[in-house]
């Protein structure tokens, strides 16, 4: 079987990470870079020795790829992903699925209508620590879940870099919304959310600093979600994340702030990533590698993806409810996400 030709849509930070993983694959190859920014797109295309296209339509017209990885900003997901899916192309779509539930539903309908394959890239579904936590609940090792919490904070320079282009609950919180539901095996049905907006406005950024939510869940559980870009830039890690699930017969305490390596260099401590996309012997490994490898393998072998589209829709529906609750100051129910 020939290697799968993959085009990367979006030549930013995540797009280039995906491109490096594909370039190392024995089962796939990069065939094109798609980005409306001519300078950025041409630079990335030259790095990998492939063609640059300004838009997905041009790449499709040229028959540039068998499959696509979309790593564009979340507010641009809907149009390009629908176009690719309607053309019958398999797509690996960076999280979040979209910036609103309506946009996510449009993408899901495009996949369903065309029969094209869609995997939304929730990277923690490929993290062995979170996978083990979900397995522990499914296998009854902590009894029945009673309550849970999940959240993460990153450095404030991330919020400055985003500069209002994405909400903290879509850029960061989507991870914990998915994990809280996946690990517990229950849907979030209602939220009561509050935001804090002190730091970002003082820096000239039109964004909240953090959002905190109390959530109700379909199996009678109560839970909490929290996420923000408030950590001082001197913080040794930008992944300040924890997930806890307490059950009738045990508990899960998932602390991923420290990956086991602490480095003191020139007077500053750092805790480098050794799980999500570390470079090992010159190659990207970890969760991102497993995610891309799974996409390539499943497309080539016509096997199911490990994460259904419905789960990605469910996470976006919760985010919509969180933003509504922040705006109204009231408890908000999660809208029906089925298509």
């Amino acid at each position: 079987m020939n290697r799968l030709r993959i085009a990367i849509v979006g030549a930013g930070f995540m797009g280039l990470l995906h491109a490096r993983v594909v370039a190392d694959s024995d089962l796939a190859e990069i065939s094109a870079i798609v980005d409306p920014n001519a300078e950025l797109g041409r630079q990335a295309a030259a790095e990998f020795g492939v063609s640059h296209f300004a838009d997905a339509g041009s790449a499709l017209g040229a028959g540039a790829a068998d499959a696509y990885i979309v790593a564009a900003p979340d507010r641009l997901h809907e149009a390009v992903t629908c176009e690719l899916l309607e053309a019958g192309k398999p797509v690996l779509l960076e999280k979040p699925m979209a910036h609103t539930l309506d946009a996510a539903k449009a993408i899901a309908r495009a996949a369903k209508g065309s029969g094209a394959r869609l995997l939304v890239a929730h990277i923690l579904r490929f993290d062995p620590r979170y996978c083990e936590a979900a397995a522990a609940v499914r296998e009854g090792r902590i009894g029945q879940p009673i309550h849970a919490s999940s959240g993460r904070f990153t450095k404030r320079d991330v919020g400055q870099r985003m500069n209002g282009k994405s909400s903290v609950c879509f850029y960061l919180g989507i991870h914990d919304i998915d994990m809280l539901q996946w690990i517990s095996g229950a849907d979030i049905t209602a939220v009561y959310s509050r935001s804090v907006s002190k730091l970002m406005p003082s820096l000239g950024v039109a964004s909240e600093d953090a959002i905190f939510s109390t959530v109700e869940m379909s199996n009678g559980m109560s839970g909490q979600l929290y996420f923000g870009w408030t950590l001082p830039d001197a913080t040794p890690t930008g992944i300040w994340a924890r997930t806890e699930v307490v059950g009738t017969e045990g508990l899960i305490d998932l602390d991923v702030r420290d990956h086991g390596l602490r480095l003191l260099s020139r007077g500053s401590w750092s805790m480098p990533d050794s799980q999500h996309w570390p470079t090992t012997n010159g190659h990207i490994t970890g969760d991102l590698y497993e995610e891309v490898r799974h996409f390539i393998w499943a497309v080539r072998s016509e096997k199911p993806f490990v994460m259904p589209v419905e789960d990605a829709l469910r996470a976006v529906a919760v985010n919509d409810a969180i933003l509504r609750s922040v705006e109204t100051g009231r408890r908000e129910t999660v809208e029906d996400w089925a298509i």
Side-chain angles (χ1 to χ4, degrees):
M1 183 183 294
N2 294 331
R3 293 202 293 177
L4 191 71
R5 297 177 307 137
I6 298 178
I8 309 295
V9 181
F13 175 75
M14 287 305 299
L16 292 180
L17 283 178
H18 280 95
R20 287 176 59 193
V21 175
V22 174
D24 277 346
S25 174
D26 294 331
L27 302 176
E29 61 186 29
I30 300 176
S31 59
I33 299 290
V34 180
D35 198 298
N37 184 316
E39 181 179 358
L40 199 63
R42 288 171 184 166
Q43 182 178 346
E47 178 181 347
F48 294 99
V50 298
S51 300
H52 166 248
F53 296 91
D55 54 73
S58 300
L60 288 168
D66 306 311
Y68 288 77
I69 295 177
V70 175
D74 53 45
R75 294 181 181 180
L76 303 180
H77 283 186
E78 180 183 1
V80 66
T81 306
C82 287
E83 183 176 9
L84 294 171
L85 292 169
E86 287 165 358
K89 298 299 183 182
V91 174
L92 174 62
L93 174 61
E94 253 302 322
K95 64 79 196 165
M97 188 173 179
H99 66 297
T100 67
L101 181 57
D102 285 344
K105 284 184 174 181
I107 293 170
R109 284 193 294 267
K112 186 175 182 179
S114 66
R117 308 286 304 281
L118 174 63
L119 174 63
V120 182
H122 280 263
I123 193 170
L124 298 185
R125 295 286 185 118
F126 298 89
D127 189 308
R129 299 164 299 183
Y130 289 91
C131 290
E132 179 65 15
V137 174
R138 287 196 302 271
E139 294 164 8
R141 283 186 264 161
I142 66 164
Q144 294 297 315
I146 303 168
H147 60 84
S149 64
S150 191
R152 68 195 52 238
F153 296 101
T154 194
K155 297 180 182 181
R156 56 193 61 177
D157 73 308
V158 177
Q160 291 177 274
R161 189 174 72 245
M162 294 306 297
N163 197 24
K165 291 180 289 188
S166 182
S167 168
V168 70
C169 66
F170 275 97
Y171 188 84
L172 286 178
I174 197 75
H175 291 297
D176 296 284
I177 291 164
D178 181 47
M179 285 302 101
L180 192 64
Q181 296 182 110
W182 184 51
I183 292 173
S184 69
D187 291 350
I188 296 172
T189 57
V191 301
Y192 184 76
S193 306
R194 286 291 179 272
S195 66
V196 179
S197 299
K198 294 183 178 181
L199 180 62
M200 288 297 123
S202 76
L203 297 171
V205 176
S207 170
E208 67 279 295
D209 301 332
I211 297 177
F212 299 82
S213 301
T214 298
V215 304
E216 302 168 16
M217 306 189 73
S218 58
N219 62 355
M221 290 176 60
S222 290
Q224 294 175 316
L225 290 165
Y226 51 92
F227 19 81
W229 31 48
T230 52
L231 298 181
D233 292 336
T235 306
T237 177
I239 306 171
W240 198 269
R242 296 192 71 175
T243 299
E244 298 176 338
V245 183
V246 176
T248 55
E249 298 177 25
L251 62 85
I252 293 167
D253 181 9
L254 185 53
D255 185 345
V256 299
R257 294 173 294 179
D258 184 349
H259 290 189
L261 173 63
R262 300 175 184 86
L263 178 64
L264 177 62
S265 176
R266 298 180 177 88
S268 297
W269 281 103
S270 64
M271 296 188 289
D273 168 40
S274 64
Q275 192 64 53
H276 297 312
W277 47 76
T279 297
T280 306
N281 299 321
H283 304 283
I284 293 178
T285 59
D287 305 339
L288 183 64
Y289 167 82
E290 292 296 336
E291 177 184 84
V292 175
R293 184 198 64 81
H294 171 70
F295 174 73
I296 295 168
W297 170 82
V299 169
R300 283 171 54 93
S301 61
E302 299 184 352
K303 300 294 186 182
F305 293 133
V306 296
M307 180 172 179
V309 172
E310 291 78 11
D311 285 10
L313 276 169
R314 180 178 63 174
V316 175
V318 173
N319 259 344
D320 268 17
I322 287 173
L323 291 180
R324 287 199 309 275
S325 182
V326 167
E327 183 176 354
T328 65
R330 298 191 300 265
R331 172 186 176 276
E332 295 285 343
T333 58
V334 176
E335 289 184 36
D336 182 8
W337 42 265
I339 60 168

